[in-house]
Amino acid sequence: MDCYTANWNPLGDSAFYRKYELYSMDWDLKEELRDCLVAAAPYGGPIALLRNPWRKEKAASVRPVLEIYSASGLPLASLLWKSGPVVSLGWSAEEELLCVQEDGVVLVYGLHGDFRRHFSMGNEVLQNRVLDARIFHTEFGSGVAILTGAHRFTLSANVGDLKLRRMPEVPGLQSAPSCWTALCQDRVAHILLAVGPDLYLLDHAACSAVTPPGLAPGVSSFLQMAVSFTYRHLALFTDTGYIWMGTASLKEKLCEFNCNIRAPPKQMVWCSRPRSKERAVVVAWERRLMVVGDAPESIQFVLDEDSYLVPELDGVRIFSRSTHEFLHEVPVASEEIFKIASMAPGALLLEAQKEYEKESQKADEYLREIQELGQLTQAVQQCIEAAGHEHRPDMQKSLLRAASFGKCFLDRFPPDSFVRMCQDLRVLNAIRDYHIGIPLTYSQYKQLTIQVLLDRLVLRRLYPLAIQICEYLRLPEVQGVSRILAHWACYKVQQKDVSDEDVARAINQKLGDTPGVSYSDIAARAYGCGRTELAIKLLEYEPRSGEQVPLLLKMKRSKLALSKAIESGDTDLVFTVLLHLKNELNRGDFFMTLRNQPMALSLYRQFCKHQELETLKDLYNQDDNHQELGSFHVRASYAAEERIEGRVAALQTAADAFYKAKNEFAAKATEDQMRLLRLQRRLEDELGGRFVDLSLHDTVTTLVLGGHSKRAEQLARDFRIPDKRLWWLKLTALADLEDWEELEKFSKSKKSPIGYLPFVEICMKQHNKYEAKKYASRVGPEQKVKALLLVGCVS
């Protein structure tokens, strides 16, 4: 503990920087980093090395090797590069490796060297070749910026949704810029480049010359530039040895430092802590590392090996062939507690806890001093915060013990922050392990979120650890264990050396009925890997038919999909499969499939009744269903035919079908309708008016209303209308006409088969009491009283 601050290096009077070892690298590199293309992902991400890159001094027959390692140097993937020359490597926000080739094609690989996809940066890039490239990150995703041989820039701000932008031309640019970088300002990607002593900013519309405010005179060239992790600040290294630091908008200068070295650095990156007022830049040469900021002095380190810098949210990772280190500004809480002769509340609480363990009375003295100042709550919070920024578990425990000791003397200190910090540190220590190799800091962990961390563990196929973390943090199953098990199952189906039966059984035993797990998604992955039978076996465990059917259709297992859809009872799902089958099979096979599925056949008939009448007719013909075929022709005679001849012909076909179905009644009724249609056509020709499409009764009524009683009676005889019905029709029609004279003649033509009470009722309905009385006297004795009551002769 006494030497705890030995690796603290002051930068001015208000900040300290420390560098500590993350891992001792064991990757056994055979070449120097300078001889490789190198790319390291932020947030403790993996490292990619492309050995034997294309150089003039290398033999053209030697193929380079692309290798991917964890941050601790453990190998993740290795593959022989068989594509074109590579200009640049970079990692996307999803930890996919982007390899930019000379021809402008970008190949995308997974963490384990699996090829994902490729895309081109356009024909112009292909024609002029790629001189240099940058992979950058924005709030929209990961972008790629290209410098072509024609000294033009092309970029895409999001490789997931590729939209290429050709940047404006820089006036007079005849050679490659001395340095350039991608900037993201106001949600728009820009290019900042240096040409001699001039700086140009390119956006989608124009090329603008910009001048850094307060830049020292005498600059004839900019050799290096660096943008901060959040794109808020910019650093420029000039050929005079000065480093200018300011805002990325180039409107404000923060500071300027003369490093007295004019040689161009290998790398220059920002080293800033979130919400810190200190600004520092780390500059690396072959054997020297320098930290500079708003102070007259700098911090310098000697590099024993060729090293590579990786900018992070709160510091800089530095790795070489043998070590991997982290350089950052000492957090405020840690500085206040561990600074020599500190009297901060956290420092006193830490000392009190140590003395308590020694059973010394000094513990009481320290504790009383903190309490008298009313700073015990602040002391506990300082210890908790400082523990989060410590990399060594023993220091974390010491600080958390001090915080726990201080909590005992507080009445109402909320335990949430203490418990949460204990959980977070346990998770961080687990993933920082050498065999895992994700050296996240507490600040990075909070920025990344637990969900993204779990995704990255899944990406590394560290399923047991991811599940343990979910269970430890008690995350909801759908967000945690279920999702991880689903990813594990998707990986399991890719193991082609295991039989389909064994894989399906293992997945079902592990997953069971776990909520949030979709067997159809796993089956889709199996089908994508070419394991169709395994996909079908997995779908048997999927309880939702709506998820089974689409994949079965995609796998061209349409008949099985139809069976599953019918089992579900979802008619919409059945219709979906039927329409798919109709397009997939020829007509005969389709109808034969329907015959084997009565429910599907019934549903398809209902569909055809509204959408495809001709198909419905073919179905009836194939099944020799003459009854339905006759009904179909009856409906078709009215729905499709306008001419009488065509309608009669359709009805004749219907009558023939009814006879084949041995439905004598329907056949006779159809023939009667044909006779009626012909007669109605004749009536229209002879009498005028509208008769076609009237019913038999309406036809009789219309004839009576038109004064053609004889024709009505003849029609009734032809179609054997019963006398009672005919009398009712004529009675109603004559009353509507108020032809009382004809009505009286009609009543006397012969004895009424319906009696005379209806005559009384009809006349009273027409408010003709006089006529009603004529018929009341003729009403039979059993209805006499009712008739007299109607006409008002009896009170």
Side-chain angles (χ1 to χ4, degrees):
M1 187 66 69
D2 296 335
C3 300
Y4 180 78
T5 59
N7 65 341
W8 288 22
N9 299 274
L11 187 66
D13 299 328
S14 58
F16 291 88
Y17 285 79
R18 64 179 174 184
K19 180 162 67 80
Y20 58 83
E21 183 175 296
L22 296 172
Y23 304 107
S24 177
M25 303 294 277
D26 191 26
W27 50 9
D28 191 27
L29 297 183
K30 297 179 181 178
E31 299 186 20
E32 293 289 342
L33 291 178
R34 70 171 68 92
D35 296 326
C36 302
L37 288 176
V38 183
Y43 294 99
I47 302 168
L49 301 174
L50 186 58
R51 296 183 177 183
N52 298 327
W54 294 262
R55 299 176 182 272
K56 293 181 180 179
E57 64 270 18
K58 297 288 181 181
S61 60
V62 178
R63 287 189 178 275
V65 178
L66 176 63
E67 295 190 317
I68 301 175
Y69 297 90
S70 70
S72 58
L74 293 178
L76 298 176
S78 177
L79 63 142
L80 197 64
W81 190 260
K82 297 181 180 180
S83 192
V86 177
V87 174
S88 180
L89 300 177
W91 291 92
S92 71
E94 295 80 18
E95 290 195 330
E96 290 182 327
L97 181 62
L98 308 179
C99 307
V100 185
Q101 295 189 151
E102 249 184 25
D103 58 2
V105 174
V106 181
L107 305 180
V108 184
Y109 288 87
L111 193 65
H112 296 279
D114 51 309
F115 177 74
R116 299 287 178 83
R117 63 186 187 280
H118 73 279
F119 58 89
S120 174
M121 294 300 289
N123 289 329
E124 182 188 354
V125 177
L126 173 63
Q127 294 171 2
N128 296 299
R129 319 302 284 175
V130 178
L131 290 183
D132 199 5
R134 298 281 189 276
I135 311 297
F136 59 95
H137 304 289
T138 69
E139 57 187 302
F140 305 109
S142 301
V144 178
I146 298 289
L147 171 63
T148 70
H151 309 125
R152 297 291 300 271
F153 289 91
T154 299
L155 67 79
S156 172
N158 183 4
V159 297
D161 181 18
L162 194 67
K163 294 179 181 178
L164 299 177
R165 285 171 47 200
R166 186 185 181 193
M167 307 304 281
E169 188 173 356
V170 181
L173 183 61
Q174 300 297 325
S175 60
S178 56
C179 58
W180 65 279
T181 189
L183 285 175
C184 293
Q185 297 177 353
D186 300 326
R187 306 179 68 182
V188 178
H190 303 265
I191 297 292
L192 180 67
L193 68 149
V195 182
D198 301 319
L199 289 175
Y200 295 94
L201 185 66
L202 307 182
D203 59 19
H204 65 281
C207 170
S208 308
V210 291
T211 303
L215 183 66
V219 175
S220 60
S221 180
F222 294 95
L223 304 181
Q224 188 68 271
M225 59 178 61
V227 185
S228 66
F229 197 84
T230 57
Y231 292 100
R232 294 179 182 175
H233 301 100
L234 174 71
L236 302 170
F237 188 94
T238 68
D239 58 351
T240 59
Y242 276 83
I243 301 175
W244 181 91
M245 285 173 273
T247 59
S249 61
L250 292 169
K251 294 180 180 179
E252 180 184 351
K253 173 184 175 181
L254 298 175
C255 61
E256 196 168 29
F257 183 84
N258 184 5
C259 66
N260 295 317
I261 301 176
R262 297 196 173 190
K266 286 179 55 183
Q267 279 185 277
M268 182 171 68
V269 298
W270 280 84
C271 181
S272 300
R273 182 169 49 83
R275 296 182 297 278
S276 174
K277 295 181 180 179
E278 299 297 324
R279 299 287 180 263
V281 171
V282 180
V283 191
W285 288 270
E286 284 292 334
R287 290 292 181 263
R288 178 184 296 186
L289 192 73
M290 184 181 295
V291 184
V292 301
D294 190 10
E297 300 85 16
S298 64
I299 304 171
Q300 298 196 31
F301 301 94
V302 175
L303 299 176
D304 297 327
E305 298 177 295
D306 190 29
S307 301
Y308 188 85
L309 309 183
V310 185
E312 291 283 5
L313 174 70
D314 53 351
V316 178
R317 284 160 51 203
I318 308 166
F319 65 84
S320 63
R321 294 179 64 180
S322 59
T323 61
H324 196 160
E325 299 173 304
F326 186 66
L327 172 64
H328 72 131
E329 180 190 347
V330 177
V332 174
S334 300
E335 182 181 340
E336 290 182 347
I337 292 175
F338 294 108
K339 191 165 59 175
I340 296 173
S342 173
M343 296 299 291
L348 294 176
L349 181 59
L350 182 60
E351 288 300 319
Q353 194 273 333
K354 290 178 185 176
E355 295 299 328
Y356 175 75
E357 288 184 347
K358 297 176 184 177
E359 300 182 359
S360 170
Q361 65 181 7
K362 289 184 179 180
D364 184 60
E365 295 175 7
Y366 286 129
L367 200 58
R368 285 183 184 278
E369 183 177 350
I370 301 171
Q371 288 177 320
E372 287 173 1
L373 295 173
Q375 296 178 331
L376 187 54
T377 301
Q378 182 183 351
V380 173
Q381 291 173 339
Q382 275 187 350
C383 289
I384 294 173
E385 183 181 351
H389 296 294
E390 290 301 319
H391 186 73
R392 290 165 44 190
D394 59 331
M395 288 303 303
Q396 298 168 2
K397 291 177 182 177
S398 178
L399 288 163
L400 289 174
R401 275 196 296 266
S404 180
F405 176 70
K407 285 196 306 105
C408 297
F409 301 95
L410 291 171
D411 293 334
R412 294 183 178 179
F413 185 84
D416 296 351
S417 60
F418 179 83
V419 173
R420 194 180 306 114
M421 182 59 74
C422 291
Q423 292 177 333
D424 291 341
L425 286 177
R426 191 168 182 184
V427 171
L428 286 172
N429 290 334
I431 64 172
R432 289 170 181 168
D433 183 84
Y434 176 82
H435 296 93
I436 306 301
I438 305 179
L440 279 183
T441 65
Y442 180 75
S443 299
Q444 295 168 18
Y445 170 69
K446 286 301 179 183
Q447 179 73 17
L448 200 63
T449 72
I450 184 62
Q451 290 299 334
V452 177
L453 174 59
L454 290 173
D455 288 341
R456 298 197 169 189
L457 291 175
V458 167
L459 197 63
R460 288 161 174 76
R461 300 170 185 169
L462 300 171
Y463 306 108
L465 176 60
I467 291 175
Q468 286 178 352
I469 290 175
C470 292
E471 292 174 344
Y472 174 66
L473 296 178
R474 297 180 181 178
L475 297 178
E477 281 197 354
V478 175
Q479 299 176 11
V481 174
S482 298
R483 190 166 61 91
I484 293 166
L485 286 173
H487 282 289
W488 166 82
C490 290
Y491 167 67
K492 189 75 174 175
V493 300
Q494 300 176 35
Q495 299 177 346
K496 296 187 177 181
D497 55 331
V498 185
S499 69
D500 294 344
E501 190 70 35
D502 291 341
V503 172
R505 188 186 308 110
I507 289 175
N508 181 245
Q509 288 176 353
K510 181 72 71 174
L511 271 59
D513 297 326
T514 304
V517 174
S518 172
Y519 281 95
S520 60
D521 291 343
I522 303 168
R525 179 64 64 88
Y527 177 66
C529 296
R531 305 185 70 173
T532 304
E533 294 304 319
L534 173 59
I536 294 174
K537 292 180 183 298
L538 289 170
L539 283 177
E540 293 296 329
Y541 301 118
E542 175 59 62
R544 298 166 297 175
S545 299
E547 299 294 327
Q548 292 178 311
V549 170
L551 183 58
L552 287 171
L553 292 177
K554 185 178 180 181
M555 294 190 297
K556 300 187 182 304
R557 299 299 178 98
S558 305
K559 295 180 181 179
L560 181 57
L562 181 60
S563 299
K564 294 292 183 183
I566 292 172
E567 289 175 11
S568 72
D570 187 341
T571 55
D572 290 338
L573 200 58
V574 177
F575 279 132
T576 300
V577 180
L578 288 175
L579 293 178
H580 182 88
L581 279 170
K582 182 184 175 185
N583 295 328
E584 183 185 65
L585 303 176
N586 61 52
R587 200 176 187 84
D589 291 342
F590 175 59
F591 288 162
M592 188 60 65
T593 302
L594 290 180
R595 291 185 67 179
N596 297 328
Q597 297 286 357
M599 179 181 174
L601 179 59
S602 176
L603 287 173
Y604 189 66
R605 283 173 178 168
Q606 293 297 323
F607 169 78
C608 291
K609 283 181 181 179
H610 300 284
Q611 302 289 336
E612 299 180 4
L613 292 175
E614 286 301 315
T615 304
L616 182 64
K617 183 176 71 173
D618 293 341
L619 280 172
Y620 292 147
N621 275 323
Q622 182 166 349
D623 294 341
D624 292 332
N625 192 339
H626 299 295
Q627 176 63 39
E628 291 294 340
L629 195 59
S631 300
F632 170 83
H633 286 296
V634 169
R635 288 191 298 270
S637 69
Y638 285 91
E641 293 291 344
E642 294 183 359
R643 297 179 302 107
I644 293 297
E645 294 80 5
R647 190 174 297 175
V648 170
L651 288 174
Q652 182 61 57
T653 306
D656 295 340
F658 286 134
Y659 278 122
K660 290 179 181 178
K662 298 182 179 180
N663 189 339
E664 296 287 339
F665 173 77
K668 292 293 184 183
T670 305
E671 290 176 344
D672 287 344
Q673 180 64 22
M674 293 162 54
R675 290 170 51 213
L676 180 62
L677 279 174
R678 294 190 184 99
L679 179 61
Q680 288 173 337
R681 179 62 177 272
R682 242 183 0 258
L683 290 173
E684 284 188 356
D685 293 341
E686 295 174 3
L687 305 177
R690 181 177 175 275
F691 288 93
V692 174
D693 287 338
L694 294 179
S695 67
L696 178 61
H697 289 180
D698 289 343
T699 304
V700 171
T701 302
T702 303
L703 287 171
V704 174
L705 292 174
H708 306 288
S709 297
K710 296 295 184 182
R711 301 289 291 266
E713 292 174 2
Q714 181 61 44
L715 181 64
R717 287 193 295 273
D718 291 344
F719 285 91
R720 298 178 182 177
I721 297 177
D723 284 348
K724 287 186 177 182
R725 192 175 303 169
L726 177 62
W727 274 68
W728 267 109
L729 292 174
K730 290 192 68 173
L731 171 61
T732 306
L734 291 172
D736 289 341
L737 284 175
E738 296 186 358
D739 191 349
W740 307 115
E741 182 180 350
E742 185 64 29
L743 180 61
E744 186 175 359
K745 290 181 181 178
F746 173 61
S747 68
K748 294 178 179 179
S749 61
K750 66 178 182 178
K751 185 178 180 180
S752 171
I754 59 175
Y756 294 95
L757 181 62
F759 285 79
V760 176
E761 293 173 340
I762 289 293
C763 291
M764 291 305 298
K765 188 177 180 180
Q766 296 292 337
H767 308 291
N768 194 332
K769 188 176 181 180
Y770 174 77
E771 290 294 330
K773 287 180 179 179
K774 292 180 181 180
Y775 304 106
S777 59
R778 300 170 65 180
V779 175
E782 66 277 1
Q783 294 179 327
K784 192 75 170 182
V785 174
K786 185 177 180 181
L788 293 175
L789 286 173
L790 285 174
V791 298
C793 294
V794 177
S795 59

